[in-house]
Amino acid sequence: MSRVVVVGGGLAGLSAACRLLGAGHQVTVVEREPVPGGRAGVLHRDGFTFDPGPSVLTMRDLIADALRAVGTELDDVLPMRRLDPAYRASFADGSTIRVRAGRDAMRAEIAETCGSVDAAAFDDFVEWLRRLYRVEMPHFIDRNFDSPLGLLSDPVAAARLVRLGGFGRLGPAVRRFFRDPRLHKLFSFQALYAGLSPESALALYAVITYMDSVEGVWYPEGGMHAVPLALAAAIEKAGGELSLGSSVEEVLRRGDGRVAGVALAGGQRIAADAVVCTLDLPVAYRRLLPDLPAPRRLRTARYSPSAVVWHVGAKGRPGPEIGHHNIHFGDEWAGAFRALLEEKTLMPDPSRLVTVPSVSDDSVAPPGSTAMFVLEPVPNLSADLDWRREAGPMRDRLHVFLQQHGYPSEVVAEELVTPADWETQGMEAGTPFALAHTFAQTGPFRPANHDRRVPGMFFAGSATVPGVGVPMVLISGKLAAERVDAYLGAA
């Protein structure tokens, strides 16, 4: 039986571990924190529980598939419910649109807020999203490519994607369906997840809109950290090992360059036939493969903007209008993206996300209190911003913002996370969103999940294929596991 070490117990690593165990390999997951989860960890402050990483869960079937690989059913170990609304969107003119669960409910919401013409267009929009998704997922996302020529291996699928306008731009594609500019924002802001503006993001990234606006947003009981806890428990139940509170210092190699295992910070060595590394790729090369220059794609990579996240525990409860996820769109749109992405300055009129899990889960805050965070997109560390100076004023602006928009604002617990903090956590350029999804960093052009110079070394996570976001990193774990399985099968 082959032995595989997975470096990092985040969602990508746990997904890979499930698949590898299901394929019959011995698996050890090494995680530097005392709990599994990686970026999807947990933060406790004065009786409040915060999700310090991802907060929007879509495509829960990908979690179900990983669990099923080790003989566990999702509903048995990870109860969750679909959020309705998935988002409450507030606009500068004072209006609100809720992203409702289900096509009929969302069409009715659009009819009420934007009119019958846009409501009728919604059905065509959903059908376009579904068709994009059905082409992209099996042919371009959930697939390993050995070279860009792999795009030509299924010319029919590629031609369908071209006909659907997947290589056009997202902003114009959305505008072709809807007249109301609020819907343009609501159905294209997801470009930021890809590190781009709606005007520059490829229309194929409308699949992100499909994932949260059509398939739905879910909330696991106990918060997002419940996801890695469930995966980790299923791994141990299936015979896998978790080494928590352990840090990998070196990837061991044989004389012919093949992977031989890992060395931990305390001196312990774990022999392995293959290693799956989920550290941010530039960090992985610097720390674990210091004798190898990073691949050219990585050395010349363009990184996504970052974000400031202010976790807040406050006295009082929000009003009934406050949702679980609340998007506050600024009046400025093109100029805000230009400032963020081109000028690399703070947005003059920022759009912000406020997530309030305590409206769905009483366990994350003391009685009569609110647990929430507010997120503002900001430039990554390539910008000329000193976060030692900027952090205080940013915190004060966010506090005023919460007061102005009806959120409880008597702060009793808090944690402010800036790009400098993301960098300290091991994220290149101080961004949790990794490489931007430009065309040159998409699909087979994204840094590969293997390195032929180190046979037996594979990668998973947001910096490699297929990209950023909970669904993508779960798939990245699956793709890395497929690489390992093929490598060990051929050995």
Side-chain angles (χ1 to χ4, degrees):
M1 185 182 293
S2 301
R3 184 165 188 176
V4 183
V5 169
V6 177
V7 181
L11 296 178
L14 296 172
S15 171
C18 286
R19 308 284 183 174
L20 291 165
L21 278 166
H25 305 288
Q26 286 184 311
V27 178
T28 300
V29 178
V30 182
E31 166 57 44
R32 68 181 178 183
E33 299 298 327
V35 295
R39 298 184 195 178
V42 64
L43 178 65
H44 297 292
R45 289 287 184 275
D46 301 319
F48 294 88
T49 301
F50 303 106
D51 286 315
S55 63
V56 178
L57 177 60
T58 62
M59 307 304 294
R60 71 179 198 139
D61 59 299
L62 297 174
I63 304 170
D65 289 346
L67 288 169
R68 200 169 292 122
V70 286
T72 297
E73 292 298 320
L74 175 71
D75 291 335
D76 294 339
V77 298
L78 190 59
M80 62 177 71
R81 65 185 182 88
R82 188 174 180 179
L83 297 178
D84 188 10
Y87 297 97
R88 177 182 70 103
S90 298
F91 298 89
D93 63 1
S95 63
T96 298
I97 301 174
R98 297 172 300 162
V99 177
R100 296 294 311 279
R103 182 188 288 200
D104 292 344
M106 189 62 206
R107 187 194 309 109
E109 178 75 9
I110 294 175
E112 181 180 342
T113 57
C114 306
S116 59
V117 173
D118 278 340
F122 180 68
D123 285 324
D124 292 336
F125 180 62
V126 169
E127 183 56 31
W128 177 68
L129 292 177
R130 287 192 193 282
R131 292 167 67 193
L132 268 179
Y133 180 81
R134 287 171 181 162
V135 175
E136 285 184 57
M137 182 56 79
H139 299 290
F140 302 102
I141 296 175
D142 190 6
R143 180 181 172 187
N144 277 311
F145 289 93
D146 291 319
S147 80
L149 292 176
L151 287 171
L152 304 178
S153 63
D154 194 334
V156 173
R160 286 178 62 198
L161 192 57
V162 171
R163 285 198 302 271
L164 287 168
F167 294 107
R169 301 299 165 180
L170 179 60
V174 172
R175 289 197 293 273
R176 281 196 291 271
F177 287 95
F178 301 109
R179 300 190 305 182
D180 195 309
R182 295 173 299 170
L183 295 178
H184 302 163
K185 294 180 179 181
L186 187 59
F187 293 130
S188 68
F189 80 89
Q190 295 86 353
L192 260 180
Y193 297 150
L196 301 166
S197 74
E199 298 307 304
S200 59
L202 293 174
L204 56 85
Y205 285 109
V207 294
I208 307 175
T209 305
Y210 173 83
M211 289 174 183
D212 62 19
S213 298
V214 178
E215 286 295 316
V217 175
W218 298 80
Y219 179 75
E221 230 174 70
M224 287 292 291
H225 187 57
V227 176
L229 289 180
L231 290 168
I235 287 166
E236 289 189 305
K237 183 180 177 182
E241 298 178 28
L242 264 70
S243 179
L244 301 175
S246 302
S247 181
V248 172
E249 292 289 304
E250 182 185 358
V251 172
L252 305 174
R253 283 176 274 174
R254 299 185 176 92
D256 60 0
R258 291 177 176 270
V259 161
V262 299
L264 306 186
Q268 179 187 356
R269 295 187 167 209
I270 303 176
D273 302 291
V275 170
V276 175
C277 177
T278 66
L279 302 181
D280 204 7
L281 270 185
V283 178
Y285 275 94
R286 283 198 301 270
R287 290 185 185 175
L288 303 182
L289 301 168
D291 58 316
L292 292 180
R296 184 175 178 277
R297 288 179 191 167
L298 208 51
R299 298 196 304 271
T300 59
R302 172 182 168 186
Y303 285 85
S304 296
S306 186
V308 166
V309 180
W310 188 34
H311 300 281
V312 177
K315 287 185 178 180
R317 300 283 291 178
E321 75 282 1
I322 301 297
H324 187 114
H325 296 297
N326 306 269
I327 306 172
H328 295 266
F329 288 105
D331 190 38
E332 182 64 51
W333 191 242
F337 280 110
R338 185 166 56 251
L340 177 68
L341 296 164
E342 297 174 23
E343 299 167 6
K344 296 187 178 181
T345 60
L346 297 178
M347 285 179 157
D349 182 18
S351 296
R352 297 176 172 122
L353 168 69
V354 183
T355 290
V356 192
S358 55
V359 303
S360 303
D361 186 350
D362 290 336
S363 72
V364 300
S369 299
T370 297
M372 57 186 162
F373 73 74
V374 54
L375 179 153
E376 179 176 325
V378 299
N380 61 41
L381 290 180
S382 65
D384 185 22
L385 291 169
D386 182 350
W387 285 102
R388 292 169 299 183
R389 248 191 354 255
E390 298 285 349
M394 173 66 77
R395 185 261 186 206
D396 293 341
R397 287 194 298 273
L398 295 178
H399 193 201
V400 170
F401 167 81
L402 291 179
Q403 290 174 320
Q404 291 174 337
H405 289 84
Y407 297 94
S409 56
E410 187 179 344
V411 177
V412 295
E414 62 180 300
E415 182 86 6
L416 185 76
V417 183
T418 72
D421 299 309
W422 295 123
E423 183 183 49
T424 299
Q425 294 176 36
M427 299 173 209
E428 191 73 3
T431 173
F433 306 115
L435 282 68
H437 284 265
T438 61
F439 179 79
Q441 295 179 165
T442 292
F445 303 107
R446 203 163 178 83
N449 59 0
H450 64 121
D451 192 322
R452 290 187 175 87
R453 297 171 298 175
V454 191
M457 182 82 172
F458 303 92
F459 303 100
S462 55
T464 184
V465 290
V468 178
V470 172
M472 298 300 123
V473 298
L474 289 168
I475 293 171
S476 81
K478 175 189 175 186
L479 295 178
E482 289 176 358
R483 291 278 192 197
V484 171
D485 212 34
Y487 168 75
L488 295 176

